[in-house]
Amino acid sequence: MTAPVTSLLANTAASVAQNDTLEANAQAWYQQALRELQAGTDRFFAKLLLGQWIAAIFLAQFLSPLTWAGRTSSVHPHVWIALFLGGLVAVFPALSGFRYPGQTLTRHTLAIAQMLMSALLIHVTGGRIETHFHVFGSLAFIAFYRDIRVLLTATFVVAADHFLRGIFWPQSVFGVLTASPWRTVEHAFWVLFEVSFLIMAIKRSLEEMLQVARRQITLEDLNEAMEEKVRARTEQLRQTEERYRTLFEDAPLGIFQASPTGEILVANGAMLEVMGFSSHEEMRAAGARLHGVPASNPTVEELLQRLKVKGQLSSQEVAWQRPDGSTVRVQESFKALRDCAGEILSFEGTAEDITQRRELEERYLQSQKVQAIGQLAGGVAHDFNNILTAIIGYSDLLIDKGGLESVPRAQVHEIKRASERAASLTQQLLAFSRKQTLLPRVLRLNTVVSEMDQMLRRLVGEHIQIQTKLASDIAAVKVDPGQVQQVVMNLVVNARDAMPDGGKLTIETANATLDEEYCRLHPEAVPGTYVSLAVSDNGVGMTPEVRARLFEPFFTTKAVGAGTGLGLATCHGIVKQSGGTISVYSELGVGTTFRAYFPTTRESVEELVATERSASLSSGSETVLLVEDEPMVRELGVLALSSLGYRVIEAANGVEALNRLEKMGADSISLLVTDVVMPEMGGRELARHARRLHPGMRILFSSGYTYDAIERGDLLEHGTYFLAKPYTMALLADKIREVLESPSTVPVNGAATAN
Amino acid sequence: MALGPNTAAPFAARPKVIANAVVSVIWLTLLFFGFRSVWKYEATAGATGPAPTQWPAGAPVSFDPARSNLVMLAHPKCPCTRASVAELTRLLTQAHGALTASVLFYTPTGEAGWENEGLWKTVAAIPGVQVAADPDGIWAQRFGAETSGQVVLFDRRGQILFRGGITGARGHEGDNAGENIVLALALGQAGSDASTPRETPVFGCEIFSPEAHPEKPSLTSLP
């Protein structure tokens, strides 16, 4: 059997089963309707019988109140018959009709009583032919039951009346004395005639009732199916409405509907948030309108005019003022809903709070700016530092070399000082752009601040009082102490400049925890534990506009020549490069507080050992391989190291240096001093080859390049040292001596120093 | 119509069914005896007196020698006689003028309100029917009637043809033997058929008070 045929049979079977169910329900409905009809008819006959009984009494009293014998009279038997026999006929069936409506016995009892009531009335009215119509009327009434058996019972009563009278008084029925006995048959015929029609009517009526029942059940079935569909569709609609309502309410974008006059009628949660209301009630109470304030926004009238022309407005940026007075930058879009005549019914639109986005964009632009400057600084640092190395180095050689007159010597000192300022500027450029080389150490900020105390007091002058509040249980941080000193110094100088007439400057350290809420408000911050370093003054304070551009490089409020605009930018760069964050709180005329946060560490605190330089340059006799691609610096190095007693072998790049090493034997070289970035072979690769030839070889890197160039990879690993350009002869001599005197396997992190 | 719960009280229990059946049987039995009494009452004929063979001389209604003459003796206040009057009206209609009818109403001497009341007025309204008072029922006695509604039929010569009632039961209209006989005799359709009854029972009130007429003559056959 094929699948379609099976499916067809299954459908047919289901249809048959459904039809059977419908037919059963129709039959039940039909039976119930019939029962209710018959019960109603029972009650009807009960009342009718009692009414007929009373009528019979009145009729008897009216038609034959007295019976006479001459001049004497007495109550007519018809009155007693109507009263007592009528009561016997009516009361019991009436009670049954009232008490047991719908029961078969009740029906038959009432039918018998009704027919006997006909007989009684015929007797009471003297057998008037008109009264015989009561029989036919009663039969018709009994047909109300729509029960043929009841009709037959009634017919039987009529027949029994004639039959019994025929038995007991045959002359009154069959008429021994009757000339026309067929009249009785005629009576019976008309009764049977009516009964036959009534039976037909009952059958048809029952059939119609059954049809009505079938239609009703079919209708109810259809209605139920329809209701089920309606319920399902209603549920679908509810779910759809719920989805759209949730979409509307939970949308991250503010959605609203406004009247033509600009009054906001409907708004979702995001819209309320944008407008600065906590609830719809609050919004309605405030009578929120579009573009009420600030005055710089277009008015509703202007919006209407624009919408009439364009039909809709998209992504226009305005500023809204919230009830609390704050201003929020909003990107809004409008669409006008019009009626058939083109009149505007309402506005619909969206509004998005872009305040934070704009701030982030500004920060990003700032970051891009810093990065660009940093790239610029990094780009020129190498060459610039090489140049400065040469200038400073040769200045040192001239100064150290005897025989110069006092005037030229002073001028060489000025050259060197200018070069050092240029080097410092270069370092600051690298610092704010976070591209300088950090040499972090685990320490407590209290130590750094304490060591700077005297120097800071000299720096700010006597008209400013410095107060230091250092937390006793301060946690350790891992930072470059030199850079932290730079931060402190820059902040203190900034505070000093904010108090030209003197004031109070407070340096404070404390443990701090930045939570999620703080970080939400300060996107640059990361949750965690920190040590805060706060520098406060009670100076002139800052306006919001100044505060917004505070860490921008080259931004300064100081007079031309009084500041470079790099101090706070450098602080910002150092703190960020150290993994921390910096915030500022300032009130105009009250003062300013800078608070730098440095992340805490669980590592052990290292002792800060101050290196003391001897007055004379360190000298030696070891063999040093100097690798430098910049001839000016290389020649300076050869000259300086030779003058200090070292045997110097020079090479212009890594390949040449490697040839020298292989030719001379690695063991004959005590120290490899190499630039990091060189053509053909850089310092890093050269060091790797050198170590392969002589694993214990001491190596000193030197570079004018910065963080990006030298921090990648494992340059500063065990046994390597670093000397940043530009450097003085003294630094070079001390560093070489330090490296040569250190054990060959000493980790660099514990001993290397820069600058 | 809504399909509601079954409002018909079911037969609660078998004892109740039996009780209902018993009560019904008792009720039917009582009805049987009640209606039997009614039938018996209605089928019980009244008394008749000795009948005259000739039209009595001096009767208060005139004798019509051209037609058969029918005399009805009636009590004017008897409700049962209303059926006899109705049958008389029907009889006259069917006789098509072959009958001359008269009704003598009993009137007690010295009592007002008996003439021209009730049945008297009904009969007086029937065209061609003579109506006369029968003081103290003198003429009822002479015509041999003791029960209201009795008729006596005489031929053109004044010879009695029939006497009896023209209703099938007391106060009950409808076809009956008396009416049929009178009509046949009046129309000359009865012939000499011996089987044709010449007397039928009379159903109605007594014309005389029991104390006024203690001896009631029994019904006897006419010659």
Side-chain angles (χ1 to χ4, degrees), chain A residues 462-529:
Chain A
E462 291 181 351
H463 64 300
I464 292 174
Q465 179 191 353
I466 292 184
Q467 186 177 9
T468 307
K469 295 179 182 176
L470 305 178
S472 57
D473 58 343
I474 199 76
V477 293
K478 189 171 185 179
V479 295
D480 185 328
Q483 298 304 317
V484 172
Q485 286 175 353
Q486 184 72 51
V487 169
V488 174
M489 198 164 69
N490 286 3
L491 292 178
V492 167
V493 167
N494 197 70
R496 180 198 67 190
D497 295 343
M499 298 181 290
D501 300 326
K504 185 177 177 183
L505 191 153
T506 305
I507 302 173
E508 192 175 0
T509 60
N511 293 320
T513 300
L514 302 186
D515 57 13
E516 297 282 349
E517 178 63 18
Y518 180 89
C519 296
R520 194 180 63 79
L521 298 172
H522 300 81
E524 287 186 347
V526 178
T529 56

Side-chain angles (χ1 to χ4, degrees), chain A residues 567-678:
Chain A
L568 291 175
T570 301
C571 290
H572 185 261
I574 291 170
V575 173
K576 292 299 294 181
Q577 196 175 354
S578 302
T581 185
I582 187 168
S583 69
V584 59
Y585 177 79
S586 180
E587 283 189 37
L588 204 58
V590 176
T592 304
T593 297
F594 286 92
R595 200 176 298 274
Y597 294 92
F598 296 95
T600 59
T601 181
R602 292 178 181 276
E603 294 179 37
S604 302
V605 175
E606 302 168 17
E607 288 299 323
L608 286 177
V609 180
T611 52
E612 291 188 6
R613 281 190 64 245
S614 58
S616 59
L617 295 177
S618 304
S619 60
S621 57
E622 292 89 347
T623 302
V624 176
L625 174 58
L626 178 63
V627 188
E628 174 63 59
D629 61 324
E630 178 58 49
M632 185 169 54
V633 179
R634 188 172 67 244
E635 288 169 8
L636 173 65
V638 172
L639 189 61
L641 292 177
S642 299
S643 66
L644 292 172
Y646 293 103
R647 180 181 171 230
V648 182
I649 301 166
E650 60 180 303
N653 55 58
V655 176
E656 188 179 332
L658 197 58
N659 289 334
R660 296 283 174 85
L661 278 173
E662 287 173 346
K663 196 178 291 179
M664 295 177 64
D667 293 341
S668 61
I669 306 296
S670 302
L671 174 65
L672 171 63
V673 179
T674 176
D675 193 7
V676 177
V677 182
M678 292 179 294

Side-chain angles (χ1 to χ4, degrees), chain A residues 323-334:
Chain A
D324 62 2
S326 62
T327 302
V328 59
R329 296 173 73 172
V330 176
Q331 190 173 54
E332 60 183 14
S333 297
F334 286 99

Side-chain angles (χ1 to χ4, degrees), chain A residues 4-161:
Chain A
V5 173
T6 308
S7 175
L8 183 64
L9 287 175
N11 288 339
T12 305
S15 177
V16 168
Q18 188 184 9
N19 288 339
D20 288 347
T21 305
L22 287 177
E23 181 60 24
N25 288 340
Q27 288 291 344
W29 194 96
Y30 163 75
Q31 293 294 342
Q32 177 65 22
L34 192 58
R35 273 195 296 273
E36 290 180 5
L37 180 142
Q38 290 171 341
T41 309
D42 282 339
R43 285 186 283 269
F44 162 75
F45 269 115
K47 294 172 190 169
L48 183 66
L49 276 175
L50 294 177
Q52 290 175 117
W53 178 31
I54 294 168
I57 295 170
F58 276 105
L59 270 175
Q61 185 64 30
F62 177 74
L63 294 174
S64 48
L66 298 170
T67 186
W68 291 81
R71 62 182 67 198
T72 61
S73 65
S74 59
V75 175
H76 197 285
H78 280 185
V79 175
W80 300 123
I81 288 168
L83 184 61
F84 293 111
L85 188 57
L88 183 63
V89 169
V91 172
F92 169 68
L95 289 176
S96 298
F98 286 129
R99 189 157 184 183
Y100 307 112
Q103 293 188 3
T104 305
L105 184 60
T106 303
R107 271 200 301 284
H108 287 273
T109 304
L110 284 164
I112 292 169
Q114 181 60 28
M115 298 318 297
L116 291 178
M117 187 60 80
S118 291
L120 186 72
L121 286 171
I122 288 169
H123 287 306
V124 169
T125 57
R128 287 168 62 84
I129 192 69
E130 291 83 355
T131 314
H132 283 76
F133 289 120
H134 192 277
V135 174
F136 298 104
S138 294
L139 288 170
F141 280 156
I142 288 168
F144 286 4
Y145 279 119
R146 304 188 194 185
D147 185 342
I148 294 173
R149 289 167 300 180
V150 175
L151 192 63
L152 292 177
T153 296
T155 308
F156 171 77
V157 171
V158 176
D161 176 72

